[in-house]
Amino acid sequence: MTTQPQSPVTVMPPLPNRRNAELFLLGFATVITTVALLLVEANQEQGVRWDLATYIAGYMALFGCAHVAVRRFAPYADPLLLPVVALLNGLGLVMIHRLDLAEGDLTSDGLGGTASQQMLWTLVGVAAFALVVIFLRDHRVLARYGYVCGLTGLILLAIPAVLPRSMSEQNGAKIWIELPGFSIQPAEFSKILLLIFFAAVLVAKRSLFTSAGKHFLGMDLPRPRDLAPLLAAWIASVGVMIFEKDLGTSLLLYASFLVLVYVATDRLSWVVIGLALFAAGSVAAYYVFDHVKVRVQTWIDPFADPDGAGYQMVQSLFSFATGGIFGTGLGNGQPGTVPAASTDFIIAAVGEELGLVGLAAVLMLYTIVIIRGLRTAIAVRDSFGKLLAAGLASTLAIQLFIVVGGVTKLIPLTGLTTPWMSYGGSSLLANYVLLAILVRISHAARRPIVTTPQQSTPIAAANTEVIEKV
């Protein structure tokens, strides 16, 4: 008896991790940022200075280090996330420098003004990004600390409300923690911590949210006793609106919770009930609180008080009208006429100098990040990772809608910053941490599954030995 020929062993080549593509795209982002900066300098007749080369070299070094961290510790991460964010960050730095020139806020040693401070915060943000990528080896570890993250997020969210106005209020909103020489906006970090908490609770208590109550209008309504988490989220969002006068954070957190509940349960009834509660709370807040009424009235007709409450919105609309289709060109507009142009209204500055085409390109970059985040949520294998990735991507989409909608008069103005573009250390640092978590989840989603060959049983091994002897 002869032995049967064994099938040849197929050796699979290692799957490409696309890190070289990421490096190439980072180089492309650097080229675009450099050209944009040179255009601003040329149109403002500033001349080409050596400190511009230092600025670009620092930008390249920062994102080169971020790329090395991803290549070493998350080699299978999505290759588009970091380059697109680097480009958004670079364009934001260029636009902030442009606004510094408009305001005459420059120093003799370097770019000066708020652009130098934003570059410093970019350094801190990229360092935080690298640290999260290096030390967060498995995103599922975050689920163990879901309740801790939730409690911490609520505490950070509540701190400005209990501080005196001198330490927490700016422009009518109590959203800051101001210390000598330093200030922080804790709500930016609360959104990440609360997303981790929402995802962990929805995974652990999924049966609570999927229990069906009465059937009404084609929807399975939840049981009344199961509405406690939704009511808690609604009360928290209304509390932020009332005590901190922060409409943007209130809407962002509540909408993110509704999105996560819908993704986890696939039930439209939760969204309908949540939107009904939000509408009721908004109408009540309009009649009870003056700051909400002013925001809504300014949104309806900003030209009713063009030199007072409506001045900022009127100037923003004029900026978009001046930019037209192709814009006035980088350095050729007057973006400094819009109050808070480097923070809340940086989209108006982009619309004026880059026009509708340039603004659409910027929005497309954000769309790429959001879509890749949602694709990561689909591809990752664990439920917590799916919910967390979907929540992070949805939060970016909701925040972008709130910002652009407010600046363009689509919805009432809320005061949120544009991720990675607006001036502000808290926003930049928090969004880089968000990006790092998303990169970590995408690495887990794209990493090939390593299967080990099954060991043969003693009976099979004995049969093989007999056959070989025969």
Side-chain angles (χ1 to χ4, degrees), residues 90-114:
L91 292 176
L93 287 166
V94 171
M95 190 56 64
I96 293 171
H97 173 57
R98 164 71 184 96
L99 292 167
D100 286 343
L101 294 175
E103 297 172 0
D105 187 13
L106 286 176
T107 58
S108 58
D109 50 350
L111 293 178
T114 54

Side-chain angles (χ1 to χ4, degrees), residues 121-305:
W121 279 113
T122 302
L123 169 63
V124 176
V126 173
F129 168 86
L131 290 175
V132 173
V133 169
I134 293 172
F135 292 104
L136 183 63
R137 296 301 182 91
D138 190 348
H139 64 273
R140 292 172 295 184
V141 174
L142 297 175
R144 303 176 187 173
Y145 305 98
Y147 289 95
V148 175
C149 291
L151 180 61
T152 306
L154 289 176
I155 292 175
L156 289 176
L157 202 60
I159 286 176
V162 299
L163 289 176
R165 290 186 175 181
S166 60
M167 298 180 60
S168 61
E169 185 171 346
Q170 289 185 12
N171 300 322
K174 289 174 61 66
I175 57 176
W176 295 91
I177 299 176
E178 294 189 10
L179 302 173
F182 180 78
S183 62
I184 186 172
Q185 191 172 350
E188 293 288 345
F189 303 95
S190 293
K191 68 180 182 183
I192 301 176
L193 295 171
L194 290 176
L195 280 175
I196 296 172
F197 169 69
F198 292 155
V201 170
L202 286 170
V203 170
K205 308 291 184 181
R206 187 175 183 273
S207 59
L208 178 68
F209 293 89
T210 55
S211 299
K214 294 182 179 180
H215 191 76
F216 180 72
L217 294 178
M219 298 182 297
D220 292 325
L221 299 179
R223 297 173 299 183
R225 63 175 179 270
D226 296 335
L227 291 175
L230 180 61
L231 292 174
W234 179 74
I235 293 172
S237 63
V238 172
V240 172
M241 184 188 303
I242 295 173
F243 297 106
E244 298 185 2
K245 301 179 182 180
D246 189 2
L247 279 68
T249 301
S250 173
L251 178 58
L252 177 64
L253 295 178
Y254 188 68
S256 300
F257 175 74
L258 286 183
V259 168
L260 278 184
V261 171
Y262 178 72
V263 171
T265 63
D266 195 23
R267 286 189 175 175
L268 188 61
S269 58
W270 283 100
V271 179
V272 173
I273 296 174
L275 292 179
L277 288 173
F278 176 77
S282 300
V283 172
Y286 175 79
Y287 288 103
V288 174
F289 304 107
D290 292 335
H291 66 278
V292 177
K293 183 178 293 186
V294 170
R295 289 286 180 92
V296 175
Q297 291 176 347
T298 303
W299 166 58
I300 295 174
D301 186 11
F303 292 92
D305 188 13

